[in-house]
Amino acid sequence: EVQLQQSGAELGKPGTSVKLSCKVSGYNIRSTYMHWVNQRPGKGLEWIGRIDPANGNTIYAEKFKSKATLTADTSSNTAYMQLSQLKSDDTAIYFCAIDTMGLFDYWGQGVMVTVSS
Amino acid sequence: DVVLTQTPPTLSATIGQSVSISCRSSQSLLDSDGDTYLNWLLQRPGQSPQLLIYSVSNLESGVPNRFSGSGSETDFTLKISGVEAEDLGVYYCMQATHAPYTFGAGTKLELK
């Protein structure tokens, strides 16, 4: 069974960084893209970017190019997203998702990031 | 960026009723490889999104066949043939043909 286990909730101060993890079991991340999506409180879904763990290639949505950094460790089958220079509007739930048969067919449980001083 | 316009924003239905959700794209989602990367997802309250339909009309494994998807190029529809209580939540269309991938604003399905 494919499962994506995300790290726990984060509380970050403005101007600092947080690093989120997404550990995959039941599927080799070398065989997929890892996507990251956010959802601000009460709002819809927004694609942040994706990484190809096999070679480290990344694509970001324009607005996240200086905000998010995606990495992956194939030895532990885990992907990471670092969010830098946190601001209040970075407060959101962040999801990871992978493609197996279809695109975005497995999702992590989501992690709440709260930015507050 | 591709804009996906979903209608209606809210849908009230009774159990057993059939309903449809429309998703219109600001540009064709037909990829150069011949596939059309338009998915439908359901997000139940407090849960992660769940893939229902991929590539317009392919039912994700384990998804009941009362869900169906259709359409092409810029116009797509999700149909639920006989709403059940477990179907309540927010439905999103999303496209993965053009980067950045984008989502519709969502359609909330609630009980009448």
Side-chain angles (χ1 to χ4, degrees):
Chain A
E1 180 190 6
V2 179
Q3 291 188 323
L4 280 64
Q5 182 65 41
Q6 296 188 240
S7 46
E10 296 273 2
L11 173 62
K13 295 185 185 304
T16 64
S17 299
V18 294
K19 191 170 186 177
L20 313 180
S21 67
C22 177
K23 183 172 178 59
V24 179
S25 58
Y27 200 83
N28 190 333
I29 63 171
R30 284 181 167 271
S31 302
T32 184
Y33 293 122
M34 177 68 74
H35 303 273
W36 292 85
V37 173
N38 78 355
Q39 186 168 40
R40 292 186 171 86
K43 302 298 183 184
L45 303 168
E46 186 174 31
W47 185 75
I48 296 170
R50 76 172 194 210
I51 183 168
D52 181 347
N55 56 27
N57 289 346
T58 53
I59 300 176
Y60 297 91
E62 188 67 33
K63 67 180 289 187
F64 290 103
K65 282 184 177 177
S66 57
K67 171 63 62 180
T69 303
L70 305 184
T71 57
D73 177 1
T74 55
S75 67
S76 63
N77 226 37
T78 303
Y80 301 90
M81 178 172 68
Q82 180 163 311
L83 299 170
S84 61
Q85 291 297 313
L86 291 174
K87 300 184 294 186
S88 58
D89 70 352
D90 295 321
T91 294
I93 298 173
Y94 292 83
F95 298 99
C96 55
I98 62 171
D99 310 329
T100 62
M101 295 299 293
L103 302 182
F104 294 79
D105 54 355
Y106 288 94
W107 291 67
Q109 80 276 23
V111 57
M112 182 72 206
V113 174
T114 304
V115 181
S116 175
S117 55
Chain B
D1 297 359
V2 174
V3 176
L4 298 179
T5 303
Q6 274 185 248
T7 54
T10 305
L11 200 46
S12 294
T14 56
I15 300 300
Q17 182 180 351
S18 291
V19 297
S20 292
I21 300 170
S22 170
C23 178
R24 290 191 168 166
S25 173
S26 60
Q27 56 186 277
S28 174
L29 300 183
L30 177 62
D31 193 64
S32 56
D33 66 4
D35 207 338
T36 299
Y37 297 104
L38 186 284
N39 289 0
W40 290 96
L41 304 103
L42 165 62
Q43 187 175 31
R44 296 185 177 95
Q47 294 188 18
S48 305
Q50 169 195 359
L51 181 66
L52 300 175
I53 303 277
Y54 63 94
S55 297
V56 181
S57 59
N58 294 279
L59 198 64
E60 172 68 358
S61 176
V63 174
N65 61 11
R66 63 179 178 274
F67 292 93
S68 62
S70 63
S72 64
E73 303 269 2
T74 61
D75 275 314
F76 304 93
T77 301
L78 174 71
K79 183 176 181 179
I80 309 173
S81 299
V83 169
E84 298 193 5
E86 65 181 19
D87 300 339
L88 305 183
V90 181
Y91 289 80
Y92 294 95
C93 58
M94 67 152 292
Q95 67 82 22
T97 297
H98 306 284
Y101 303 159
T102 50
F103 294 84
T107 294
K108 185 175 184 179
L109 178 61
E110 52 190 28
L111 274 182
K112 189 181 291 183

